[in-house]
Amino acid sequence: MLYAIISEDVADSLKLRKAARGEHLQRLIELCDAGRLKLAGPHPAIDADYPRSAGFTGSLVVAEFASLDEARSWADADPYLAKGVYQQVIVKPFNCVLP
């Protein structure tokens, strides 16, 4: 089943994001290589693809997991959470209707 992992950053998270980005991306690449990642990306803090110093306000990951518990465990192990980038992470079942 698909699950949405919706994360909210702490204020002024850009420096923390940069420090943990490599580890964070590696986990996403592993999901992608396994064919389980449907989409992933950050929420820019301003209306721009590349917000530069404005940074980001959070992230969205939609991926396939065997259960809600497995999705939560995966989200709980994110380096962004461990290194203080995220102040809140919500994991919900997701039903893709379109496309």
Side-chain angles (χ1 to χ4, degrees):
M1 179 165 190
L2 293 178
Y3 294 88
I5 301 169
I6 306 144
S7 306
E8 184 179 335
D9 284 19
V10 298
D12 301 316
S13 64
L14 189 57
K15 184 176 180 181
L16 294 170
R17 272 181 170 270
K18 287 180 178 179
R21 188 168 190 265
E23 294 172 78
H24 172 78
L25 287 179
Q26 183 56 44
R27 297 177 77 240
L28 292 169
I29 290 166
E30 289 169 9
L31 274 181
C32 189
D33 289 349
R36 296 171 47 201
L37 182 65
K38 303 306 174 192
L39 66 92
H43 300 284
I46 60 172
D47 190 12
D49 289 337
Y50 303 101
R52 298 193 175 137
S53 63
F56 301 92
T57 62
S59 301
L60 171 65
V61 173
V62 177
E64 186 176 332
F65 293 94
S67 67
L68 181 58
D69 286 340
E70 183 184 316
R72 283 186 179 138
S73 292
W74 187 89
D76 287 345
D78 194 313
Y80 276 3
L81 187 60
K83 300 208 175 162
V85 175
Y86 294 151
Q87 66 178 329
Q88 179 178 335
V89 177
I90 297 169
V91 181
K92 298 180 178 187
F94 181 76
N95 187 7
C96 184
V97 176
L98 293 170

